[in-house]
């Protein structure tokens, strides 16, 4: 799809979104609520028409094609199961609308097959309101995949489920997608969900896609300050670019000159930029000891722990380092750390290697 | 005892008094419809003889048949018009929709006597204009349009289609819009979506509307009184026979009328509340109760 725009009155719900998918891709649209994810799906399904831009499915421009003639099916956010039909009739609904509709036996066979795919054999005669949330979710899924659409749209399909069920469904969805080879466009505001399932993730904000790429690239090489802060935790240190490198050189507002990976987006010398470091890439040792950090570490600062939060699998320290500011550092909770590790108020040394730091342009990708 | 408690107590008894005043006559009618004797003064024993007498009275039967015909036909017409207009209003521009909403509420609150008189005047005037035309078109056997079943049915259907309209629109407002989208997403054309999703979703409201329309028409006296011409409906027959002198037959007919009306209302409520439960959370039950008020 190319440069999609959609405006509702004063609200610019989509401000120019473009992407192209290889068939069979699991594509996640990740963004906070209100950023235009649902609007984008509605344009793809055909419930709304774009103000501008075009949508191509295969080679066909689907502008003006009504939803019931698009090779696209949707799993709705609240499932939208037909309450006046049992599960089997819900699942077979799409088959019955086709012209010509498959024969009765063929329908029954495919309904059973679809129910089996979502592990709901024998639920055909239940009513949708008799099912749990997870089961309803599976019915909605079966109803959508039975038609073998070219593209399957999923609007926060797991949003209403509890955490455990959600994890299970994530695995199942991913498996199912591999099995069927259908292109999935999966909307979510949960980054773990997007990262664990998708081949490609698009981070959306205010009606735009800020970054689009494989999960690891989004996490390790955020191209935008907003993406950097939205995805996981990030220490960002403001300053000015001095050399493009590599390694790029940056002068922080607080004074020190540091190295980092150069930004992937256009930027000029002297422009405002951010130096971003993930909390888990920063090492920390007690002051006055031989550091556990690599000796060649490019950067090291002295500081004091102002807060320590025990998170189970990791321990998070907030360190006040006068040279650069406040840093969040997360360390794996290896044996003894919880009790014998550095504690609040202690003087420490922190640092990171040059490749842990990444420079991000403060300039927004063009409108 | 404080003043407040005296006031509370007084109000409570006042309320009880009001209800007794309202329902006692009805209870009396029911009780005496089963009374053996002819006189209201004494209860002499249980008997169904007044029902039997009513059942064997051809005038009663004819009135009953007239009432049932009017109620059924006007309810069918009202259901069709009310449902279709509700669907049309749903898709209309806000200005159009609000105008119609206003007109519909006016139709509901206008007193029966006004509907009766205005329908009468309208029908008579229209017939005066149309009949000469018909006579000139068909000089051999000129059809004469007169007051009768047709005018009562028209007057009833006009009023009751407004009730159906309100019920169906309430239901529509509570309907999940994504169901229609889901249907469309699954390759159903707009017409098939309408048939397979919209109508089934609206069915409880449509059925309840039909029953209410039937009830209103069946027990209506005022509108029918003005528009009926020669034909007697059951309530009008009742009114006429009371003027001839009260016999327990009247009690029996009144009890039958009451039974039909109440069962139809209860059924309407049941359909709207119980059947509507799974599809639209905000039930149409309150609407049924409200619409049954006049
Ligand atoms: N039908 C509509 N009318 C008016 N504004 C809308 C409509 N649909 C969505 N919006 C607005 O567009 C923006 C994007 O909404 P949406 O696509 O639903 O976001 P998301 O699904 O990412 O939470 C929001 O600001 C929302 O209020
Ligand atoms: Mg949404």
């Amino acid at each position: 799809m190319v440069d999609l725009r959609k405006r509702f009155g004063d609200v610019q719900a989509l401000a120019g979104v473009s992407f192209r998918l290889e068939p069979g891709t699991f594509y996640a649209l990740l963004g906070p609520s209100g950023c235009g994810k649902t609007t984008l799906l509605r344009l793809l399904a055909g419930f709304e028409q774009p103000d501008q831009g075009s949508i191509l499915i295969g080679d066909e421009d689907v502008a003006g094609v009504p939803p019931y003639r698009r090779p696209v099916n949707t799993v709705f956010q609240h499932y939208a199961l037909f309450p006046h039909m049992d599960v089997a009739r819900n699942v077979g609904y799409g088959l019955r609308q086709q012209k010509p509709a498959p024969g009765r036996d063929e329908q029954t066979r495919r309904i059973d097959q679809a129910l089996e795919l979502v592990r709901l054999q024998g639920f055909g005669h239940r009513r949708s309101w008799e099912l749990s949330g997870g089961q309803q979710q599976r019915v909605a899924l079966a109803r959508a995949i039975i038609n073998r659409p070219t593209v399957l749209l999923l609007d926060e399909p797991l949003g209403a489920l509890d955490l455990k069920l959600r994890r299970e469904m994530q695995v199942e969805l991913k498996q199912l997608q591999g099995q069927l080879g259908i292109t999935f466009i999966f909307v979510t505001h949960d980054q773990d969900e997007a990262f664990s399932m998708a081949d490609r993730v698009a981070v959306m904000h205010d009606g735009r896609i800020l970054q689009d790429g494989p999960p690891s690239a989004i996490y390790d090489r955020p191209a935008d300050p907003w993406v950097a802060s939205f995805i996981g935790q990030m220490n960002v240190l403001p300053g000015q670019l001095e050399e493009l490198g590599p390694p790029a050189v940056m002068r922080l507002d607080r004074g020190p000159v540091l190295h980092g990976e150069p930004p992937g987006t256009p930027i000029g010398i002297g422009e405002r930029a951010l130096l971003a470091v993930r909390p888990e890439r920063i090492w920390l040792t007690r002051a006055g000891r031989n550091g556990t950090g690599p000796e060649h570490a490019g950067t090291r600062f002295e500081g004091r722990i102002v807060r320590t939060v025990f998170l189970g699998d990791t321990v998070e320290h907030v360190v006040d380092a006068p040279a650069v500011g406040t840093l969040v550092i997360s360390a794996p909770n290896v044996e003894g750390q919880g009790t014998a590790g550095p504690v609040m108020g202690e003087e420490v040394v922190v640092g990171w290697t040059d490749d842990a730091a990444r420079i991000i342009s403060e300039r927004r990708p063009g409108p | 005892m404080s003043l407040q408690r005296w006031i509370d107590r007084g109000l409570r008894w006042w309320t009880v008094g009001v209800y007794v005043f309202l329902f006692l006559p009805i209870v009396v009618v029911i009780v005496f419809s089963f009374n053996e004797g002819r006189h209201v003064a004494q209860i002499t024993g249980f008997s169904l003889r007044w029902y039997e007498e009513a059942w064997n009275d051809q005038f009663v039967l004819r009135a009953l048949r007239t009432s049932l015909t009017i109620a059924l036909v006007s309810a069918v017409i009202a259901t069709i018009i009310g449902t279709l207009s509700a669907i049309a209003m749903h898709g209309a521009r806000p200005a159009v929709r609000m105008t119609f909403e206003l007109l519909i509420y006016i139709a509901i609150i206008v007193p029966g006597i006004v509907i009766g008189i205005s329908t009468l005047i309208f029908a008579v005037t229209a017939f005066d204009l149309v009949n000469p035309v018909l006579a000139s078109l068909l000089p051999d056997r000129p059809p004469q349009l007169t007051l009768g079943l047709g005018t009562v049915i028209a007057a009833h259907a006009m009023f009751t289609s407004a009730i159906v309209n309100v019920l169906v629109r309430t239901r529509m407002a509570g309907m999940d819009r994504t169901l229609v989208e889901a249907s469309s997403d699954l390759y159903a054309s707009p017409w098939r979506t309408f048939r397979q999703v919209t109508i089934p979703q609206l069915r409880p409201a449509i059925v309840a509307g039909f029953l209410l329309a039937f009830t209103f028409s069946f027990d209506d006296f005022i509108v029918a009184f003005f528009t009926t011409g020669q034909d007697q409906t059951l309530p009008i027959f009742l009114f006429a026979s009371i003027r001839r002198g009260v016999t327990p037959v009247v009690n029996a007919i009144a009890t039958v009328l009451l039974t039909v009306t109440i069962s139809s209302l209860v059924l309407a409520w049941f359909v709207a509340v119980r059947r509507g439960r799974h599809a639209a959370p905000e039930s149409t039950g309150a609407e049924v109760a409200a619409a049954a008020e006049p």
Side-chain angles (χ1 to χ4, degrees):
Chain A
M1 43 233 65
V2 182
D3 195 25
L4 279 179
R5 291 174 194 219
K6 177 73 188 177
R7 169 180 282 284
F8 297 109
D10 290 343
V11 184
Q12 184 81 42
L14 283 183
V17 167
S18 303
F19 56 89
R20 161 183 287 278
L21 297 178
E22 292 299 317
T25 309
F26 197 126
Y27 190 55
L29 292 168
L30 173 62
S33 104
C35 72
K37 306 181 297 288
T38 299
T39 306
L40 178 52
L41 285 198
R42 292 177 61 80
L43 289 175
L44 298 178
F47 302 134
E48 315 262 6
Q49 295 301 322
D51 299 333
Q52 190 188 317
S54 53
I55 300 167
L56 289 109
I57 299 172
D59 292 328
E60 194 199 353
D61 188 339
V62 292
V65 176
Y68 52 92
R69 294 219 193 89
R70 293 192 186 194
V72 170
N73 286 137
T74 307
V75 176
F76 290 84
Q77 194 160 4
H78 303 291
Y79 317 141
L81 299 179
F82 303 121
H84 55 287
M85 298 178 193
D86 65 14
V87 166
R89 286 186 65 75
N90 261 288
V91 173
Y93 191 86
L95 292 181
R96 293 197 299 280
Q97 313 310 316
Q98 286 169 8
K99 281 177 200 157
R104 204 163 269 279
D105 293 343
E106 169 73 1
Q107 284 188 26
T108 315
R109 197 183 60 75
R110 285 180 59 184
I111 291 170
D112 289 345
Q113 193 188 8
L115 285 176
E116 202 178 310
L117 268 179
V118 297
R119 300 200 291 124
L120 279 180
Q121 301 97 306
F123 279 71
H125 294 297
R126 299 277 194 95
R127 287 296 181 136
S128 58
W129 65 77
E130 297 169 349
L131 303 180
S132 70
Q135 290 167 335
Q136 288 183 26
Q137 210 282 321
R138 288 158 200 258
V139 176
L141 192 63
R143 186 177 71 172
I145 58 172
I146 195 168
N147 311 293
R148 299 297 159 106
T150 311
V151 183
L152 185 69
L153 308 175
L154 303 100
D155 193 353
E156 311 208 11
L158 310 181
L161 307 182
D162 60 56
L163 194 64
K164 188 162 170 291
L165 202 54
R166 211 150 128 172
R167 294 255 183 276
E168 282 173 28
M169 282 304 296
Q170 285 172 9
V171 175
E172 279 181 36
L173 263 179
K174 180 71 188 160
Q175 268 176 2
L176 199 64
Q177 193 260 346
Q179 232 169 313
L180 298 172
I182 298 174
T183 304
F184 274 35
I185 301 184
F186 184 98
V187 159
T188 178
H189 62 252
D190 177 352
Q191 64 176 62
D192 293 344
E193 200 163 282
F195 283 177
S196 64
M197 298 166 78
D199 305 318
R200 243 172 83 190
V201 176
V203 182
M204 283 186 73
H205 177 54
D206 277 351
R208 283 170 213 289
I209 292 182
L210 294 182
Q211 192 174 357
D212 181 347
S216 58
I218 304 250
Y219 189 81
D220 293 334
R221 298 191 296 280
D224 177 279
W226 193 86
V227 176
S229 61
F230 180 67
I231 305 293
Q233 260 191 322
M234 187 69 101
N235 295 292
V236 286
L237 311 170
Q240 263 182 7
L241 189 73
E242 298 219 312
E243 264 177 58
L244 258 178
V249 180
M250 207 178 121
R251 177 180 294 279
L252 298 190
D253 292 345
R254 291 252 187 159
V257 175
L258 299 179
H259 292 208
E261 301 278 316
T265 54
I267 185 171
I269 304 293
E271 269 190 59
R272 301 289 307 160
L274 300 170
L275 187 92
V277 192
R278 291 277 177 209
E280 68 272 18
R281 300 291 297 269
I282 305 180
W283 52 261
L284 174 146
T285 53
R286 293 191 158 112
R289 292 208 188 167
N290 288 333
T292 53
E295 286 309 311
H296 59 270
T299 307
R300 52 170 64 216
F301 301 104
E302 289 174 359
R304 202 162 54 83
I305 297 183
V306 292
R307 194 149 47 86
T308 293
V309 184
F310 179 72
L311 293 174
D313 51 350
T314 55
V315 182
E316 195 176 279
H317 305 285
V318 179
V319 172
D320 181 30
V324 287
T326 305
L327 295 171
V328 176
I329 297 160
S330 107
N333 180 20
V334 289
E335 48 171 322
Q337 278 264 341
T339 46
V343 293
M344 218 175 89
E346 221 172 321
E347 299 289 332
V348 290
V349 175
V350 298
W352 58 83
T353 58
D354 285 352
D355 65 348
R358 183 162 186 86
I359 291 167
I360 300 170
S361 165
E362 277 196 12
R363 215 201 282 177
R364 267 284 156 86
Chain B
M1 224 183 285
S2 72
L3 181 65
Q4 186 60 44
R5 283 195 58 185
W6 278 108
I7 292 175
D8 282 352
R9 218 171 238 215
L11 281 178
R12 201 171 306 146
W13 284 108
W14 176 255
T15 312
V16 170
V18 167
Y19 277 103
V20 168
F21 182 75
L22 278 179
F23 288 109
L24 194 60
I26 297 175
V27 173
V28 168
V29 165
I30 296 173
V31 167
F32 281 97
S33 76
F34 293 108
N35 187 19
E36 166 94 65
R38 171 167 292 273
H39 299 291
V40 177
Q42 76 244 34
I43 296 178
T44 47
F46 179 84
S47 143
L48 289 176
R49 67 179 268 222
W50 305 116
Y51 287 88
E52 213 180 308
E53 210 160 291
W55 188 249
N56 290 324
D57 183 335
Q58 59 158 325
F59 291 106
V60 174
L61 282 188
R62 191 187 301 160
L64 178 65
R65 206 173 308 128
T66 307
S67 271
L68 284 175
T69 309
I70 292 174
L72 274 175
V73 175
S74 73
V76 168
I77 295 175
T79 306
I80 294 171
I81 294 179
T83 305
L84 291 183
S85 62
I87 291 167
M89 280 169 74
H90 191 69
R93 279 181 291 125
V96 177
R97 193 178 60 227
M98 264 138 83
T99 311
F100 270 89
E101 249 168 56
L102 192 72
L103 290 174
I104 280 162
Y105 283 116
I106 288 175
I108 290 179
I109 57 173
V110 164
I113 192 160
V114 177
I115 295 180
I117 292 175
S118 54
T119 312
L120 173 67
I121 294 171
F122 172 80
V124 169
T125 317
F127 293 161
D128 280 351
L129 289 174
V130 171
N131 279 336
V133 176
L134 287 176
S136 69
L137 286 178
L138 299 159
D140 299 338
R141 290 179 51 208
Q144 276 283 329
L145 296 184
T146 54
L147 294 176
L149 284 193
T151 38
V152 184
I153 288 172
H156 281 177
M158 187 210 89
F159 172 87
T160 51
S161 63
I163 296 176
V164 177
N165 178 285
V166 171
L167 282 177
V168 173
R169 271 191 306 123
T170 308
R171 173 85 184 175
M172 268 191 139
M175 201 175 113
D176 187 356
R177 192 174 64 114
T178 55
L179 290 182
V180 170
E181 290 184 344
S183 166
S184 162
D185 188 62
L186 293 162
Y187 317 133
S189 64
W191 167 243
R192 301 193 67 157
T193 297
F194 179 73
R195 250 183 36 221
Q196 299 176 128
V197 176
T198 311
I199 290 291
Q201 283 296 296
L202 298 180
R203 190 167 295 143
I206 295 173
V207 173
F210 174 86
L211 289 168
L212 279 182
F214 178 89
T215 312
F216 172 83
S217 173
F218 191 71
D219 76 355
D220 165 68
F221 171 75
I222 301 173
V223 176
F225 184 75
F226 282 100
T227 52
T228 183
Q230 301 300 314
D231 300 296
Q232 281 196 329
T233 64
L234 207 54
I236 291 176
F237 175 84
L238 217 57
F239 180 70
S241 38
I242 286 171
R243 290 209 298 194
R244 285 197 297 270
V246 184
T247 74
V249 175
V250 169
N251 291 337
I253 298 172
T255 305
V256 170
L257 210 65
L258 193 69
T259 312
V260 171
T261 306
I262 289 179
S263 9
S264 168
L265 278 180
V266 168
L267 198 61
W269 177 83
F270 185 79
V271 167
V273 175
R274 301 297 302 275
R275 295 282 311 281
R277 191 177 40 182
H278 296 296
E282 56 272 51
S283 71
T284 335
E287 286 286 328
V288 170
E293 206 80 321

